[in-house]
Amino acid sequence: NLLFTDCRSADEVRECIAYVRPETPEAGGNHGAAMRRSVGYVLEGGSPAWVEAMNQVVCAFMIEKKGAVENIDEILAIDGVDMVQFGPTDYSISIGMPGQGRHEKVQEAHRQVIRKAIEAGVRPRIEIGSYEQAKPYLDMGVRDFCIGWDLGTIFRWCKDEGAAMRELLGIA
């Protein structure tokens, strides 16, 4: 399963999907057989099971650029777009409002992407810092969440462990 970033147009989204789907007449992708772990122990590349695995890959797309928001209806209509996720930080930069991901204009675009995705039958995915932030999105119909971020988790662990170690060593 893949999360693609930086797409701005429906053509770019179609290109990403083609990279994932097998190069069969039915799938219309351009992914040829390769020795990867997608099926078994890399020896089944090109087998019917491998083709099916490539056809089942979930393709998710960050909607994080001004162009992607402007083209959201066309993007959501593409066969193979399984999930979208709004990116407020990149979006705020792309509309000339760097560092303002919480600005109402950015948040309205976020809500618009969620509404349109649900209407189109595409699952919106939301990043939240904790479960307490999920309620407004649940009320909108969202069911897919990323809770926490790897760097934040590592940072908190290092901070807590470092503080405990300093205390144990008597270091202020």
Side-chain angles (χ1 to χ4, degrees):
N1 303 308
L2 299 166
L3 176 62
F4 291 96
T5 63
D6 299 320
C7 290
R8 292 162 181 81
S9 70
D11 285 340
E12 290 175 353
V13 169
R14 285 186 199 95
E15 184 177 5
C16 290
I17 293 168
Y19 287 135
V20 175
R21 300 296 181 236
E23 192 170 355
T24 64
E26 300 79 20
N30 59 25
H31 189 157
M35 292 182 61
R36 293 189 176 86
R37 294 180 296 165
S38 54
V39 179
Y41 294 97
V42 305
L43 301 176
E44 292 84 7
S47 70
W50 177 87
V51 167
E52 182 59 22
M54 295 302 96
N55 282 325
Q56 294 301 317
V57 170
V58 173
C59 292
F61 293 87
M62 292 296 298
I63 304 300
E64 59 186 348
K65 305 297 184 183
K66 180 181 178 192
V69 172
E70 290 171 348
N71 295 308
I72 190 64
D73 293 323
E74 188 179 359
I75 290 169
L76 292 170
I78 297 169
D79 185 37
V81 173
D82 299 308
M83 183 175 278
V84 293
Q85 178 176 317
F86 185 77
T89 302
D90 280 325
Y91 180 71
S92 70
I93 292 168
S94 76
I95 62 169
M97 299 175 65
Q100 298 183 58
R102 295 278 173 223
H103 189 279
E104 180 54 30
K105 182 176 180 178
V106 175
Q107 290 305 304
E108 178 50 38
H110 189 182
R111 290 187 294 271
Q112 174 189 336
V113 167
I114 292 169
R115 280 192 302 270
K116 288 184 175 217
I118 291 171
E119 289 170 8
V122 174
R123 298 179 74 114
R125 176 180 182 256
I126 309 297
E127 285 187 353
I128 54 178
S130 68
Y131 78 92
E132 292 96 351
Q133 297 170 335
K135 180 79 168 94
Y137 300 110
L138 288 167
D139 292 344
M140 291 179 76
V142 175
R143 294 295 179 262
D144 298 288
F145 296 90
C146 170
I147 303 174
W149 301 269
D150 52 354
L151 292 178
T153 301
I154 292 167
F155 171 78
R156 281 188 301 283
W157 183 87
C158 290
K159 184 178 174 187
D160 293 346
E161 293 299 312
M165 194 65 182
R166 282 190 301 278
E167 183 178 325
L168 184 63
L169 294 170
I171 301 171

